[in-house]
Amino acid sequence: MSKSLQFTLRADEMPTHWYNLNADFPEPLPPPLHPGTREPVTPDLMTALFPEVLVAQEMSPERHIEIPAEVRDVYSLYRPTPFLRAARLEKALQTPAHIYYKYEGVSPAGSHKPNTAIPQAYYNKMAGTKRLATETGAGQWGSSLAFACSVFGLQCNIYMVKVSFHQKPYRKLLMQTYGATVHASPSNETDYGRKVLAADPGSNGSLGVAISEAIEDTMKHPGTKYALGSVLNHVCLHQSIIGEEAILQMELAGEEPDVIFGCAGGGSNFAGLAFPFVRKKITEGKKYRIVAVEPASCPSITKGELRYDFGDTAETTPLMMMHTLGHAFMPPSIHAGGLRYHGMAPMVSHCRKLGLIEAVAYPQLKVFESAVLFARNEGILPAPESAHAVAAAVDEAIRCRSEDRKRVIVIGLSGNGLLDLAAYDSYLTGHMHDTGADD
Ligand SMILES: *Cc1c(COP(=O)(O)O)cnc(C)c1O
């Protein structure tokens, strides 16, 4: 193996703009609706939660949006992220397929989430915000926002789902190290948290409840804004840096993808990798297959309905047109914590409706089997979320073997699993089980 397996970009080759797929959809995305009037939401409703620049990005029809120099400067701590040929995995699978992966696990928080945390903190700072409130499940988003807030000098107040707060203390400690305040949700900090606790003092919490607490916190504290780590259009926009880099890195590798796999929880890392390639499908007639991979136990895009639904349990957010399992859905506690969300980003849902992407669901044992195979050949320990994309890619590579066909496969590896070793322990010791959405 004398050929280079890495394809990197010089600083002067780096993308300078994010890509907004809303400019190229053949049919416009249905707008978010006000929960009371059911009329499309007006910007002023959203500026209670977000600074004006982010609201403008949320609704922007512009194709390319410039990445501020200050944001590019912070990105340069870890970007461009690696793009590698998984030559050893190919060999282990004895496949004629060429497998590449785009690895976001080198960011300070270990996932793709700082790609949007950094610009969100930056735009808030510019708008005079003093403090950000947010929710986090297992802590990937919380630690990303905590890092971004420390870079731009903002306070950060985080509602962390209680079961993770107690069972997964390491990301909580990372958030605290970055200077954030972390509450176990449901908490006594908000009316909604107190209400949930009154009804069920032993409540383990959920992402929906934590979102409701963070929104209430924002409304009640002047100088505070809210930040969301997935689902929304502006989050998908910021994540497009992943795909923009990957397109340039594929050119260096001298190949074009046939199939692209990304894991999908709220949909943002998938959108980030996929949307620049979706643009090429729409504007250049490319035939890429682009596949969102989700857990069988929380199958919003493969089994959920496409309809208007709330983003949170307390029904405070605007209604979004999305694939949803219903905002009251309580996913089983699978190890890929970042994929336990009842809905799918409206933009990703819209892509599915228009036939621009496909979706599949994988059970967790299969996912961990592939994660271990990947780790043993490539060295990187995939995050349990990312391992969903690995599992689907491994199956595709095996199909190539039986069909004796070369295909170029790209995996979006959204993060590393170094803080998820307890999940690997559970797999390696035979304690992991598959749970269905109905369990
Ligand atoms: C949060 C997270 C996800 C899921 O979120 P998306 O918005 O669907 O990208 C996936 N992978 C990792 C590593 C995460 O931290």
Side-chain angles (χ1 to χ4, degrees):
M1 277 180 215
S2 53
K3 272 195 358 200
S4 173
L5 300 179
Q6 286 222 35
F7 305 92
T8 190
L9 302 170
R10 293 191 314 266
D12 64 348
E13 295 172 321
M14 283 290 288
T16 54
H17 290 69
W18 291 303
Y19 168 61
N20 177 17
L21 178 57
N22 275 321
D24 288 318
F25 271 135
E27 230 177 75
L29 185 71
L33 303 182
H34 187 286
T37 63
R38 297 220 155 213
E39 292 293 317
V41 297
T42 47
D44 52 298
L45 188 81
M46 302 190 70
T47 48
L49 293 178
F50 304 105
E52 273 170 32
V53 189
L54 289 175
V55 175
Q57 289 183 355
E58 186 65 21
M59 303 183 163
S60 174
E62 252 179 276
R63 181 168 288 109
H64 298 286
I65 294 177
E66 188 167 7
I67 308 173
E70 292 86 343
V71 170
R72 277 190 270 160
D73 200 46
V74 185
Y75 275 177
S76 73
L77 289 173
Y78 64 96
R79 307 208 72 87
T81 59
F83 185 83
L84 288 112
R85 172 99 181 258
R88 289 182 176 79
L89 179 65
E90 290 168 15
K91 205 162 162 221
L93 291 169
Q94 297 182 305
T95 177
H98 290 187
I99 306 175
Y100 293 86
Y101 57 97
K102 177 68 170 158
Y103 182 45
E104 293 295 307
V106 295
S107 84
S111 77
H112 65 286
K113 290 192 173 78
N115 297 338
T116 186
I118 294 162
Q120 289 194 48
Y122 167 76
Y123 289 124
N124 270 289
K125 182 70 179 181
M126 291 297 109
T129 306
K130 299 286 177 247
R131 177 175 174 275
L132 285 178
T134 198
E135 71 289 333
T136 195
Q140 290 103 329
W141 169 242
S143 49
S144 302
L145 193 69
F147 161 68
C149 283
S150 78
V151 167
F152 291 109
L154 295 167
Q155 284 177 275
C156 190
N157 202 37
I158 301 172
Y159 293 85
M160 182 173 189
V161 177
K162 189 173 277 173
V163 62
S164 302
F165 185 93
H166 293 301
Q167 287 178 3
K168 300 179 180 171
Y170 293 107
R171 284 203 184 85
K172 173 188 72 184
L173 294 167
L174 188 57
M175 292 179 239
Q176 290 168 337
T177 305
Y178 287 137
T181 304
V182 190
H183 309 283
S185 166
S187 76
N188 277 310
E189 302 288 309
T190 64
D191 289 342
Y192 190 68
R194 284 187 288 270
K195 193 175 124 190
V196 174
L197 284 175
D200 176 10
S203 168
N204 276 330
S206 73
L207 208 51
V209 170
I211 295 176
S212 304
E213 286 206 273
I215 291 178
E216 184 184 328
D217 177 303
T218 306
M219 304 308 271
K220 287 190 177 156
H221 292 84
T224 295
K225 294 283 184 199
Y226 173 65
L228 193 65
S230 186
V231 180
L232 298 180
N233 300 352
H234 68 266
V235 177
C236 296
L237 172 79
H238 301 153
Q239 293 296 350
S240 68
I241 185 75
I242 303 172
E244 291 295 349
E245 284 180 8
I247 285 176
L248 299 173
Q249 288 166 309
M250 282 238 82
E251 279 169 16
L252 292 178
E255 299 217 75
E256 276 226 64
D258 294 299
V259 202
I260 299 167
F261 294 102
C263 69
S268 73
N269 88 87
F270 172 78
L273 176 63
F275 287 0
F277 288 97
V278 171
R279 170 185 68 218
K280 286 162 85 72
K281 287 183 77 159
I282 297 171
T283 64
E284 298 173 30
K286 298 287 186 187
K287 299 276 186 251
Y288 314 135
R289 285 183 56 216
I290 305 180
V291 187
V293 191
E294 64 180 5
S297 55
C298 191
S300 57
I301 192 163
T302 53
K303 295 235 177 90
E305 291 174 66
L306 182 61
R307 62 174 168 87
Y308 274 107
D309 195 12
F310 292 100
D312 71 329
T313 315
E315 309 187 348
T316 41
T317 69
L319 292 158
M320 291 174 288
M321 174 59 90
M322 61 182 179
H323 280 280
T324 176
L325 296 162
H327 59 277
F329 178 78
M330 281 282 179
S333 52
I334 53 160
H335 290 285
L339 303 183
R340 297 176 69 227
Y341 184 64
H342 68 270
M344 182 56 59
M347 290 183 79
V348 172
S349 299
H350 199 54
C351 279
R352 174 87 199 284
K353 180 185 165 222
L354 298 177
L356 294 164
I357 63 159
E358 304 163 32
V360 292
Y362 270 75
Q364 74 177 346
L365 283 175
K366 188 98 206 278
V367 164
F368 274 84
E369 186 190 324
S370 301
V372 168
L373 179 74
F374 191 90
R376 288 180 184 174
N377 287 284
E378 297 298 318
I380 291 169
L381 191 79
E385 293 85 358
S386 321
H388 286 71
V390 175
V394 163
D395 275 353
E396 182 73 22
I398 291 171
R399 272 194 295 278
C400 289
R401 179 172 70 198
S402 54
E403 293 167 16
D404 197 19
R405 266 185 75 167
K406 180 202 141 182
R407 275 195 205 96
V408 177
I409 299 172
V410 177
I411 304 172
L413 206 64
S414 52
N416 74 59
L418 290 174
L419 290 183
D420 303 289
L421 282 166
Y424 279 87
D425 179 42
S426 158
Y427 174 74
L428 294 170
T429 55
H431 289 93
M432 185 178 283
H433 303 287
D434 283 333
T435 45
D438 312 320
D439 292 1

